[in-house]
Amino acid sequence: MIQPRDLTQSADTSLPFALDYATMRHRFLAAARAAGAALSEHIHPLHGPDGTTIATDVALIGQADAAKLMVLISGTHGVEGAYGSACQTAWLAQKANWALPDDTAVLMVHLINPWGTAWSRRVNEDNVDLNRNFIDWTTRPPVNPGYAELHSALVVPALEGPERIAADDALAEQTRAKGQTKISSIIEAGQYDFPDGLFYGGDAPVWSNRVLAAILAQFGQRAAQVIVFDLHTGAGPYGYPALLSVSPVDHPGLAWGAQIFGPAMGQVITGQTSTTTTGIAATATGYVSNFVREAMPQARVLPLVMECGTLSSAEMQRRVVEDNWLHLFGKLGSDRAQRIKSELVQGFIPQDESWQQICLATSLRHFDNALSALKKVEALPGTAAAPKSPLSIAPKGTAAVEVVDLHKSFGPLEVLQGVNLIAYPGEVVSMIGSSGSGKSTMLRCINLLEQPNSGRIVIDGEVVRMKTAVKGAATIADQRQIEHIRARVGMVFQSFNLWPHMTVLENIIESPIHVLKEPRADAVEHAHALLKKVGLSDKHAHYPGQLSGGQQQRAAIARTLAMRPKVMLFDEPTSALDPELVGEVLRVIRQLAEEGNTMILVTHEMQFAREVSHKVMFLHRGRVEEEGTPADLFGQPRSERLRQFLARTF
C-alpha cells in the first residue's frame, strides 16, 4: 500500500494547504471546536491507506433550523480536498467571533469524498466521479456515444510499448480531427457505461451522494435563503480562482448571485450542446451544484463553484489517465506509482505558495461577501429587493469615456469606420473581435496615442479639442490638454513597457513625481501600497529583467494605478504571457473591477470578459457589429459573425 508520507514527502509543510488526509481533518476539527461549532461525523465504511478511519465531518455554526443558511462543501473530487479543507479551516479561524443572527447559520461539509482525499484520487472508492453521480436515478442515465469511441484509447493495460503507442496515436488523431476542446468536452461530460473509464458516473447513488443528501435533509429543510459553495481546483488558467454558478436551467438564485457579486460571478448553463471557456465541462450532468438546489426546493438557492485553475486541459487529462491506469493495472508501491501520484497531486494542488495564498485569499473574500449578503436578505424567498442586472450595478452620471463616430485610417486602409462607445464611472466595457477588427486602434485613439481622422472623444466630461490640418485631416489642437487627459487615462499594454534600467519601485514612482508633482515620500508610500495590491511587495527592488512576464505585467498595472487614473485601458494584457502566467494578471484585473474602477478592456479571454464586464462590444472590420450585456452577447448572439467568432473561441 501507498503510505500517506510517500505521497507528500516532498511537500513543503510551511504552505497553507496540507496534502495528507489526517492533517486536514485534524486542522479542520480543531478550528471548528475553537469556533464553537456543533460537530457530527459520517464514518466511511472503508479506511485510508494506513488503515485509519476516514469520515465526512460536519460543522454547524448557528441554529440548526436557521432560515438563512450558507454551506461550504470540500473534497467533491477527493484530491482537490486540500484546497477546500484549507479554505474551510482558515475561514473558521478567521471568524474568531461567530456572532451570527439567530436566523443565519453556516454549515461546513468537510471532505464529502473522504476516500478520494485519503487515497489522493479524484474519484471515489468505486471509480465514480462524484460530480457526475447526482443525476435522477429513477430514469436511465445519459448516454455519451462520443466517449465510447475514445474509451479504448484512454484505458489501456500498458503504460508504454506498442499497445500504448497505438492508443496514443489513435487519441492524437481524434484530437487533430476534433480539437482538444471538443475531445475534453466529450471525455469530461461523464459516462455511465464503462466502470473502469474516466469520469464514470456510477450506476446508483454512491456513499458520498447519500451522505450529502442526509446532511442537507437534516440542516437545510427549513432554510428559505441558501448560498452553497462547492470548492474545486484543476480547471481554468493557472492560479485564477473563478467564481461560477453552474446549472442546467435558469433559476432565481442566478439573479440573486448577480446582485451579490455582479459580473464577478460567471454563469455556466449546462447541456449536451453547451459550451464554456471556464475549463469545467458544460456538457456534464450530475453536478453537486444542481443537486443542492433540487434538495432544498422550498428555498431560493444560489449554488456557487470556486474553481482554481492549474494546468492545461490536455495535461490534466494525461495525469488523470495515468492515475486511472495505476489503480487498474499498476503496482501501488512502485517508484512509477510514486511519480504518477506526485504528478496528480501537483496537478490539482500546486506546491506554489503564491498560487495557494491567492486561491485562499480570493475564496475567503467571496465567503465574506456571500455571508454579508445572506445576513441582509429577507428570510422568506421572493421578499428581497429585485436584483439588478450586472449592467445596471455600475453608477451612472457623467460618462467617464464617450466616443462618437470615430474614424481612423492608415493610408487607404480604414481601420475604424464610425465607432461609438460610452463607459460610465465604475463600468467595465470589454471589446472582443478577431485580429485586425480595430480594437487596439480604438484604445490608442481614446488615449490619443493615435490621432483619429474624425469623430468626437470626451474624457470625464472634457471634449478633446481637434483641428483640421493639411488635406483636411484632424489633428490635436492643444498638446497641453492631451498631456492633461493622458494623466487621467491609464493604459496597460501587451508588452509591459517597463523601463529596464529602473527597479520596479522606480518605474512606479517616476510619473507621479514628475507629472503629478507628488512628493517623493508620498509617491513611494503609494507605490508600496500598490505593489501589495498586485502581489509584488517583495519585488520592489528587482529590475524588470528579473521578473516573469506575469510579474512584469502586474508591475505595469501598478505603475498605471500610481497615476490615479479616471479610466484604465487594457490592450490584451495577457496575450504576451505564457499560459500559466495568465491567471495571475486576470486576478488583479478582476480585483480592480470589483473595486469599481472604470475600465475598457480589449481581450481574447472570452470567459473573463463574460465574468467582469458590464457591457461587451464585438468589433468586426472596424465597426461595432453587436454590443450589449455579457448574458446577451455570449448567450444569445444576434449576429451571424459573432456566432461564428464565439464558435471559434469558446
Side-chain angles (χ1 to χ4, degrees), residues 553-568:
Q553 191 63 291
R554 285 185 281 154
I557 293 172
R559 183 182 62 181
T560 300
L561 290 170
M563 293 293 289
R564 298 179 172 84
K566 291 284 189 176
V567 61
M568 298 185 70

Side-chain angles (χ1 to χ4, degrees), residues 68 101 103-104 256 369-379 384-385:
K68 295 183 283 187
D103 64 352
T104 305
W256 188 23
N369 291 343
L371 182 59
S372 177
L374 187 65
K375 288 178 180 177
K376 295 174 183 176
V377 77
E378 295 289 335

